[in-house]
Amino acid sequence: MARLRLGPLLRYVDGSTATVWVETDRPCAAEVRCADGARGSARTFRIAGHHYALIPVTGLTPGTETAYEVRLDATGDVDGAGDAGGTGDADGTRTVWPLPGSRFPASTIRTPAEDGADALRVTFGSCRWAAPPSGEHDPVGPDALDTLAARIAADPDGERPDVLLLLGDQVYADETSKATRRWLAARRDLAEPPGAQVADYEEYTHLYDESWLDPEVRWLLSTVPSCMVFDDHDLIDDWNTSAAWLAEMRATPWWRERILSGLMSYWVYQHLGNLRPDELATDRVHTAVHATPDGTEALRAFAAAADADPTSARWSYRRDFGRVRLLMVDTRAARVLAEDRRAMLDPGEARWLRDQVLDGAGGVDHLLIGTSLPWLLPHLIHDAEGWNAALCRGERGARWARFGEKLRRGSDLEHWSAFPSSFEALTSLIAEVGSGDDAPATICVLSGDVHHAYVAEPSWPTGSGPEAHVLQLTCSPVHNSIPKSIRLGFRFGWSRVGRALGRRFARHAGVTHAGMDWHRTGGPWFGNQLMTLTLRGRSSHLRLEQARATPGGGARLETAEERRLA
């Protein structure tokens, strides 16, 4: 009989519907049954020998919470006998979730109230190395997601996020654990490129197993809805940093399989669950993989087209939570890399973002822009990235351009400020939507990537700025580390001396400053951490929590910052 390999992950939830993602060990029908009678089912689709389903659940009641279980049908037993696990029923289905003897509370689906009166809690972070097995020493400290899961499990009726935003580097394809390196070495010769990095789809599935089979994280993702977007380490460090970088990668014998496998696995494990049920019904890739007994070639063709022509795929998406709008923006695959037209977003993607930001003006109390890479950085880093971009496009000659390219890769100079026209366009768009009587109360750019947390706020010349309270909220890592030297560098980047040095970089390349300034109002904070926004009406509250080890080997989340935003 069919068994549950991975999941369930609760992905989309609104007042009456939800989606639940699962991976099984063979073809079957997967079903979700809720205690209140809501239910849904879907047949699995096959990719590279693995079987998946995204199950739409309908009939939920707004403003309620219901426990659910996952069942797989016995008719899926087409590949031979196996230990199915779970408990069988007279209708031929077998309950595979919750796991037998689970120490966690029941997984539940909480739906928002129709009137939108309830507060919305949005928890976000990025950059998570998989936690080591229980009992092993964790060199980077407690995992913030594990710690959050433990707190919710201890008080299942208490406060918990309504949605979890994972802002990139959910897996590290280029920085594998010791256990994964041993697994890879048993599979192939690590002396051959790409060495101890993942090489193909099967190896990507191992990364997701390692990360999402963590018992605490597995339960957390089964009971808290999640939205995800990739960053570079989901594929490789410096992914799409420049046209020269991309040309070099495409010349290697292993890159094509890596990029196709990375995009395929991202679509299956992360992107598919980002879609609303109505989007699934019209999504051409979702339709294609279900239209054949084996969807591998259909998905591979999609990934190949997306790699060859980034405009053929859209990874960005929109989610509305009542009067709160979330726009998750792809800042990796949608780039224009030609130095004379360099942009974070290609023209089609930029139009999409503008359309979504301005759609239904006046109907949004809070606008959240999720982008893995921060918009506002320490001033020294911002100016250094603008200076570097000018050098790379030849403003100071060919010799400086070669130096600039080397520096760009070595120092990861690839944030919004490294794409000056895109930085200015985003700044202008935020000012536009934030102005007028019907502006949102807050506009928050949510980011990760930089392995620390901070709050930055822009300011415009008197009389020219938006009415909305605009903030850059950066939170990273969930479970990773940062060298002491880089910590000092980030602190220096915000200092007066760092700012003055940045201006000298800008003058060297003839870079002009934006029409607004910004200042840090919180942080930097270092450690494994999560930020939570609590939004009710036009009010907004921010809390930053850090995972701290406790005597006896446990961990807890401690509040490092708390403030009212609006």
Side-chain angles (χ1 to χ4, degrees):
M1 293 185 180
R3 294 183 295 177
L4 185 67
R5 283 201 72 254
L6 192 58
L9 275 70
L10 179 61
R11 299 303 311 271
Y12 175 90
V13 175
D14 62 25
S16 60
T17 61
T19 60
V20 176
W21 180 97
V22 296
E23 180 181 355
T24 66
D25 71 338
R26 62 197 67 205
C28 64
E31 182 182 15
V32 170
R33 293 186 187 179
C34 299
D36 67 356
R39 62 198 303 169
S41 64
R43 294 292 304 182
T44 57
F45 60 92
R46 180 182 177 121
I47 302 293
H50 292 255
H51 307 274
Y52 310 94
L54 187 66
I55 307 162
V57 182
T58 59
L60 295 164
T61 303
T64 64
E65 179 176 7
T66 181
Y68 74 89
E69 62 182 21
V70 176
R71 290 173 170 255
L72 304 180
D73 74 347
T75 62
D77 186 18
V78 297
D79 293 336
D83 178 14
T87 57
D89 207 342
D91 62 3
T93 63
R94 180 175 292 270
T95 300
V96 295
W97 187 269
L99 299 176
S102 173
R103 58 186 170 89
F104 295 100
S107 299
T108 63
I109 301 174
R110 285 186 179 180
T111 55
E114 285 184 323
D115 59 9
D118 293 343
L120 175 72
R121 295 183 181 88
V122 180
T123 296
F124 63 95
S126 79
C127 306
R128 179 177 179 266
W129 278 341
S134 178
E136 290 189 13
H137 172 67
D138 193 334
V140 299
D143 184 325
L145 282 189
D146 277 349
T147 311
L148 175 64
R151 184 173 73 184
I152 297 173
D155 183 14
D157 296 323
E159 178 184 308
R160 72 184 188 195
D162 295 296
V163 62
L164 181 64
L165 309 185
L166 301 178
L167 293 169
D169 296 344
Q170 276 69 262
V171 294
Y172 278 71
D174 54 347
E175 297 179 25
T176 54
S177 68
K178 290 182 180 178
T180 292
R181 291 195 292 271
R182 289 193 297 269
W183 182 84
L184 293 173
R187 191 171 188 261
R188 58 180 171 83
D189 183 0
L190 299 191
E192 297 294 326
Q197 301 183 27
V198 300
D200 58 26
Y201 188 89
E202 185 64 27
E203 293 177 5
Y204 263 104
T205 69
H206 181 83
L207 291 185
Y208 284 103
D209 286 349
E210 181 180 48
S211 187
W212 291 355
L213 284 175
D214 174 316
E216 284 77 16
V217 167
R218 188 179 192 183
W219 178 79
L220 178 70
L221 295 178
S222 77
T223 204
V224 175
S226 56
C227 297
M228 307 181 189
V229 72
F230 48 38
D231 198 21
D232 56 343
H233 291 284
D234 291 270
L235 275 293
I236 193 171
D237 188 27
D238 294 337
W239 179 32
N240 283 346
T241 194
S242 67
W245 177 92
L246 183 58
E248 289 183 18
M249 295 304 296
R250 285 178 170 171
T252 65
W254 56 271
W255 173 246
R256 179 170 173 78
E257 188 59 39
R258 168 73 156 274
I259 185 67
L260 296 189
S261 297
L263 293 176
M264 290 169 67
S265 61
Y266 176 75
W267 185 89
V268 169
Y269 287 85
Q270 298 192 51
H271 182 69
L272 183 60
N274 293 329
L275 303 180
R276 303 188 309 266
D278 62 309
E279 292 174 320
L280 286 173
T282 59
D283 184 79
R284 59 186 177 87
V285 185
H286 185 249
T287 300
V289 298
H290 276 279
T292 176
D294 190 331
T296 306
E297 289 308 311
L299 184 56
R300 188 175 179 86
F302 164 75
D307 177 49
D309 177 12
T311 65
S312 69
R314 171 158 294 133
W315 304 105
S316 301
Y317 58 97
R318 166 178 161 179
R319 291 284 305 276
D320 288 335
F321 304 90
R323 291 177 61 86
V324 177
R325 177 166 301 163
L326 167 67
L327 300 175
M328 291 285 261
V329 183
D330 162 23
T331 54
R332 282 292 170 184
R335 296 178 174 186
V336 177
L337 299 180
E339 294 296 343
D340 60 340
R341 296 180 291 110
R342 187 169 169 83
M344 184 69 85
L345 307 177
D346 65 53
E349 198 76 8
R351 284 193 300 271
W352 176 88
L353 177 59
R354 179 177 179 81
D355 290 345
Q356 303 308 311
V357 164
L358 298 177
D359 182 38
V364 176
D365 288 330
H366 304 279
L367 174 62
L368 311 179
I369 300 175
T371 161
S372 62
L373 302 174
W375 165 53
L376 302 179
L377 287 164
H379 298 93
L380 171 57
I381 299 174
H382 174 90
D383 285 333
E385 292 197 349
W387 165 75
N388 179 261
L391 296 185
C392 289
R393 66 174 178 264
E395 297 292 334
R396 301 286 293 186
R399 182 179 177 184
W400 277 102
R402 290 191 296 272
F403 169 75
E405 176 65 23
K406 183 177 180 180
L407 182 64
R408 175 158 60 191
R409 298 189 205 181
S411 302
D412 291 337
L413 303 180
E414 54 172 353
H415 301 85
W416 282 90
S417 49
F419 299 79
S421 63
S422 298
F423 176 88
E424 293 170 7
L426 180 59
T427 301
S428 176
L429 180 59
I430 288 172
E432 180 179 352
V433 73
S435 300
D437 295 337
D438 57 357
T442 65
I443 302 173
C444 297
V445 179
L446 313 180
S447 306
D449 178 70
V450 291
H451 289 205
H452 70 290
Y454 62 89
V455 178
E457 301 187 33
S459 58
W460 281 261
T462 302
S464 65
E467 285 77 15
H469 190 184
V470 181
L471 302 105
Q472 167 71 66
L473 304 178
T474 302
C475 184
S476 172
V478 170
H479 184 238
N480 210 307
S481 64
I482 184 170
K484 183 176 290 187
S485 60
I486 296 181
R487 293 189 185 199
L488 294 173
F490 278 119
R491 291 185 187 278
F492 179 70
W494 287 110
S495 70
R496 290 182 180 179
V497 176
R499 186 169 188 150
L501 181 58
R503 292 195 187 103
R504 297 193 65 176
F505 279 120
R507 285 196 297 271
H508 179 260
V511 176
T512 58
H513 275 268
M516 60 88 180
D517 197 1
W518 60 94
H519 56 288
R520 174 175 53 88
T521 62
W525 297 283
F526 299 96
N528 296 327
Q529 50 205 348
L530 292 164
M531 271 187 184
T532 297
L533 283 172
T534 302
L535 309 167
R536 185 193 297 271
R538 293 181 66 81
S539 71
S540 175
H541 180 270
L542 170 70
R543 183 172 70 245
L544 173 72
E545 295 179 291
Q546 297 183 315
R548 300 294 191 192
T550 59
R556 66 171 179 265
L557 289 174
E558 296 182 354
T559 299
E561 175 76 356
E562 196 160 10
R563 67 170 76 175
R564 183 182 176 87
L565 303 180

